[in-house]
Amino acid sequence: MKIIQRLLTPNQYSRPCKAIKEHLGIVMHWTANPKATAEQNRQYFESLKAGFSGFASAHFIVGQNGEVLQCVPENEIAYHCGSTQADPTSGKVYTDYARAKYGQYAENCKVTSPNYCTLGIELCPTDKDGHLTGQTLKAAAELCAYLCKKYKLTADDITTHNAVVGWKDCPRLWVNHPEQFEAFKKLVSDELAKNEGVL
């Protein structure tokens, strides 16, 4: 796996240059625009600097050919899992899982968010159901294993956007087929075991 640095221009809407406080987990997303490339999705994040379309970004985007673009440095926050909308199950802004996992970062959305303690990874799907190529899955597993090793995390510290906010079907395939997300985490665990002792 090769990480291609395509850092966003510093701006308040997609790369605010605010420091991550700690690394407690990795949040997986899908770009929700079938067939678009990693570079096209990166360009979307870049376009947000104009201030017309809200806040959004991720640290990494994994394309359908397995390319990995880095959009935000790992020591800065990306706008990938913040929320002001209530989780339909708990009635609170973040899910019970997120509040237990991320503590203070998920307790008061007016002050902070899980963006301050997580890394966000976007996956480029092949269709509206969110299917992923084998190359995307392989590169994403290698990337997650690399980040887990670097920040002393395990595959159990990898979660979905849906698990953090509760209301968004992201990544759609893994929300609808959680067994496939578990299979992905197994890929990461296998990658970690294979590369034990190597960074």
Side-chain angles (χ1 to χ4, degrees):
M1 172 207 64
K2 178 184 177 184
I3 297 174
I4 303 165
Q5 278 215 338
R6 293 282 288 122
L7 298 181
L8 301 175
T9 304
N11 73 91
Q12 63 180 312
Y13 300 101
S14 57
R15 189 187 166 193
C17 297
K18 295 178 181 178
I20 274 190
K21 305 298 185 186
E22 53 187 321
H23 294 86
L24 299 180
I26 299 168
V27 182
M28 306 301 295
H29 306 258
W30 75 314
T31 59
N33 52 358
K35 305 297 183 185
T37 66
E39 178 59 29
Q40 287 168 330
N41 282 290
R42 186 260 177 207
Q43 286 303 113
Y44 167 70
F45 289 149
E46 180 71 11
S47 75
L48 296 180
K49 68 186 178 185
F52 300 120
S53 302
F55 301 81
S57 56
H59 293 89
F60 300 94
I61 306 170
V62 183
Q64 292 177 32
N65 295 319
E67 68 274 29
V68 178
L69 302 188
Q70 182 171 15
C71 301
V72 177
E74 294 160 33
N75 62 351
E76 295 179 16
I77 71 163
Y79 286 133
H80 65 99
C81 66
S83 182
T84 56
Q85 186 172 327
D87 160 40
T89 302
S90 70
K92 299 187 177 181
V93 171
Y94 294 106
T95 62
D96 292 341
Y97 164 84
R99 283 180 287 108
K101 176 75 174 167
Y102 306 129
Q104 62 178 321
Y105 304 105
E107 288 170 1
N108 186 344
C109 67
K110 294 179 181 176
V111 176
T112 188
S113 78
N115 288 330
Y116 283 88
C117 64
T118 59
L119 297 170
I121 299 175
E122 291 274 3
L123 306 175
C124 296
T126 62
D127 59 27
K128 63 180 178 58
D129 295 318
H131 289 97
L132 304 164
T133 67
Q135 290 167 294
T136 300
L137 285 168
K138 182 177 186 297
E142 290 175 356
L143 175 61
C144 284
Y146 164 75
L147 295 171
C148 283
K149 179 78 173 171
K150 186 172 182 178
Y151 296 107
K152 297 180 171 55
L153 303 172
T154 72
D156 287 333
D157 294 311
I158 303 168
T159 192
T160 64
H161 191 183
N162 174 266
V164 176
V165 299
W167 53 267
K168 195 172 180 80
D169 66 337
C170 176
R172 178 172 291 168
L173 183 70
W174 291 346
V175 172
N176 293 333
H177 300 280
E179 73 283 358
Q180 294 196 32
F181 179 53
E182 292 304 315
F184 173 75
K185 289 197 293 183
K186 175 67 164 55
L187 284 177
V188 177
S189 292
D190 291 347
E191 196 67 32
L192 280 166
K194 183 171 70 176
N195 294 310
E196 192 169 357
V198 178
L199 183 59

